[in-house]
Every structure is written in C-alpha cells, then in structure tokens.
Amino acid sequence: MQLLLTGASGFVGGRLAPALVKAGHDVRAMTRRPDHYGGAGTPVAGDVTDEASLRQAMRGCDAAYYLVHSLGDADFQHKDAEAARTFARAAADAGVERIVYLGGLGRDGDDLSRHLRSRREVERLLASTGVPVTTLRAGIVVGHGGVSWEMTRQLVAHLPAMVTPRWVHTRTQPIAVADVVRYLVGVLEAPDAAGRVFQVGGPEVLTYLQMLSRVADIQGRHLFVVPVPLLTPSLSSRWLALVTDVDLTTGRSLVDSMINEVVVTDDAIRTVVPFEPMDYDEMVLVALGERAADRRRAARVRRAGLLARGARS
C-alpha cells in the first residue's frame, strides 16, 4: 500500500515509519526538508500549511497518517484547525481512501482542556471532506523522547521531594509508544476500522502520583510528595519549566489537560488489533533502556569527534 506519513521525524512517526516499511508498505515520509531526512521510507517535500505541496505529496497514495500538532505554540488551536482543514481538502483532491489520526483520550461530556478540545476539532475537520478517518485516542504515551514521559522522568530525577498540584490525583491510562505504533499499523488494513474512533491504553489505570512513584521505585529513588490544592495551572506550568526542560507553553497545555481523566471506556480496539499491551513497569523500563542506549551512542559520537580533531591537530 502507498502511504503518506506526516510527522515522520517525530516521537511516534519516527517509530511508525520503519514499522510500516517492515509491514510491506511503500512509505512517503513527508518533511519540509527532505534532504535532511534520515529515517525509514522515501522523503517527500510537504507542509501542512501548503495545500499544493500536500496534494503533490499525496498523489497516488492509498492512505495518509496525520501525526501533526502545534502544542508548543500559544496559538495551537487555530494553527492545528487550519492545518487539518488543508490536509482534508488535499486528501480528498488526491483520492486518498483513508486518513489515520492519533488524537487524545477524554470523555466528550467532560469540560475538556483546550488541548483535548483541539484534538477533537482536528478529528472532525479531517473528516469534513468525506475521506474516512480512523482515529486512535491515547492518553499518556510512554517512550524515550515523548514530552509527557520526559516530564515524568525528569520530575523523579530532579526532585526527591516535590510540592504538587491537585492533578497528581487525576487518573490516566498510559500506553507504551511501541503499542501505539502496533495499533497504528494494525488498523490500516482492518476492514472494519475505517471511519471509526478507537480508544487505546495500557492494562493499568493510574494516577499521575502513582506513575511518579512507580518510576521512582523502579530507579531505586525515594519520592516524597506534598499535594497543594491551591497551586494554579499557571504556577504549575512555571514549576514544570523550572525543574524540567519542557517549555512553558507546552507545559501549560499539558497541565491544563491533566485535570481531565484520560481513561479507556471502550476497548473495541482489542478485537480489531488483538495483542497484550505492556504494563506500566515494562514500558518504563523500555523507555529508560532506550534513553541509556541513546546516551551511549551520543557519547561514542563525541569521542569519535574528539579523536578526529586530535588526529588533525
């Protein structure tokens, strides 16, 4: 199958591209700078704000994966909506038969955060031109390089004791990035997945406090937490920016979303793509292992660079 993959260099897309190639698909990895792309698939030029480039990139494609968002931008709702409209028009014009989108969990009847409302709006806009959309809604995705996971890891690493807001008691259902990729690949050719919304999560429902405590236990750290009810979202995001490398704008969007429970209430995906997802401890160990391997690779590159400079001097 001929596929277009947006976000091919991102946290999920960088893992999805090789998985799709391994599954036998012809993957076009869309990027604004194809000459700099080194991942799986064939790089093609394209920008979600440029409809002409999208139509060119999608020409001849059977399906397209939409893994784009502007969470780090203060105006992300408007930018994501415009990008989704543009993508939907281009997909219809190019004759794409299916769009697959990774969105966010959260009950529709709740007072959803701006971030989660934006994800719902993108779902609607992607389907607005009649191309069937398969949506996977996920909560916290755990894996090396993921913003939510990095926030969790860094809080545990940097703060043996922390004053936390009320959202530490909000329930969520984390899922390993490898399992998200497995679902994204699996729904592509499932005949009964077109036009449907699926909820995806791991086997455990945990509060953010339980997640932090489990990470601390796995790493042999002692974590002392004091929840403070009056810590506002604005102060929470500034606190996160101070003790982690999550930028202030992204941190505010994430904190706003942490008031919403993101728990699977319909497990229909398990019959469409049947497998057993990782439990929380396993996904944490995998993420920590990937980080350690990445740091070893970076150290080898630095040593090789130093040796090369030494040989030239």
Side-chain angles (χ1 to χ4, degrees):
M1 188 180 292
Q2 182 89 54
L3 308 174
L4 179 74
L5 174 61
T6 66
S9 299
F11 168 53
V12 176
R15 293 166 165 85
L16 180 58
L20 290 169
V21 171
K22 185 177 180 180
H25 300 294
D26 186 356
V27 178
R28 295 180 187 175
M30 194 182 85
T31 172
R32 284 177 287 188
R33 298 192 298 172
D35 293 342
H36 293 78
Y37 180 75
T42 303
V44 295
D47 189 320
V48 291
T49 64
D50 181 349
E51 191 168 338
S53 74
L54 288 175
R55 285 197 298 268
Q56 180 65 29
M58 290 183 193
R59 185 172 297 168
C61 285
D62 303 294
Y65 281 86
Y66 193 79
L67 304 179
V68 177
H69 63 80
S70 310
L71 194 59
D73 194 298
D75 194 26
F76 70 88
Q77 286 177 289
H78 174 73
K79 290 190 174 183
D80 281 353
E82 285 302 309
R85 287 189 188 95
T86 303
F87 196 85
R89 288 194 301 266
D93 290 345
V96 170
E97 297 174 3
R98 174 99 68 92
I99 295 171
V100 181
Y101 171 59
L102 180 61
L105 275 173
R107 291 189 295 266
D108 290 332
D110 288 352
D111 182 15
L112 295 177
S113 67
R114 290 174 64 232
H115 172 214
L116 293 177
R117 289 199 306 271
S118 176
R119 292 298 180 98
R120 292 292 193 276
E121 185 179 27
V122 168
E123 281 183 33
R124 179 180 61 79
L125 292 171
L126 287 175
S128 63
T129 58
V131 179
V133 177
T134 300
T135 297
L136 300 186
R137 293 179 180 172
I140 299 294
V141 179
V142 177
H144 175 54
V147 176
S148 296
W149 160 248
E150 280 302 308
M151 184 179 73
T152 303
R153 185 193 65 76
Q154 290 178 38
L155 284 174
V156 172
H158 297 164
L159 295 176
M162 64 181 79
V163 176
T164 60
R166 285 176 296 182
W167 52 252
V168 295
H169 296 298
T170 303
R171 298 193 313 157
T172 183
Q173 194 161 346
I175 183 170
V177 65
D179 291 337
V180 171
V181 167
R182 195 166 175 181
Y183 281 130
L184 286 167
V185 174
V187 297
L188 182 62
E189 293 184 335
D192 55 349
R196 294 180 64 183
V197 174
F198 296 102
Q199 301 176 23
V200 299
E204 297 173 87
V205 176
L206 303 168
T207 66
Y208 290 103
L209 178 56
Q210 288 172 322
M211 291 169 60
L212 290 164
S213 299
R214 293 269 285 271
V215 173
D217 288 344
I218 287 169
Q219 295 186 299
R221 299 176 183 273
H222 177 70
L223 187 66
F224 182 69
V225 175
V226 180
V228 177
L230 298 180
L231 196 57
T232 66
S234 177
L235 288 174
S236 292
S237 56
R238 291 180 184 279
W239 169 68
L240 286 174
L242 180 66
V243 298
T244 74
D245 59 15
V246 176
D247 68 85
L248 187 60
T249 303
T250 300
R252 178 57 189 265
S253 296
L254 291 174
V255 166
D256 285 346
S257 294
M258 287 173 177
I259 63 171
N260 294 121
E261 278 199 351
V262 284
V263 173
V264 172
T265 58
D266 181 350
D267 63 356
I269 188 67
R270 301 294 298 276
T271 61
V272 178
V273 187
F275 70 92
E276 291 301 319
M278 297 182 204
D279 64 29
Y280 187 66
D281 287 1
E282 183 179 1
M283 62 182 87
V284 167
L285 287 169
V286 170
L288 293 172
E290 288 178 344
R291 179 174 184 269
D294 195 40
R295 289 167 66 87
R296 287 194 295 270
R297 284 192 295 269
R300 286 197 296 269
V301 170
R302 285 196 299 271
R303 285 196 297 270
L306 289 172
L307 288 173
R309 285 196 294 272
R312 290 195 298 268
S313 61

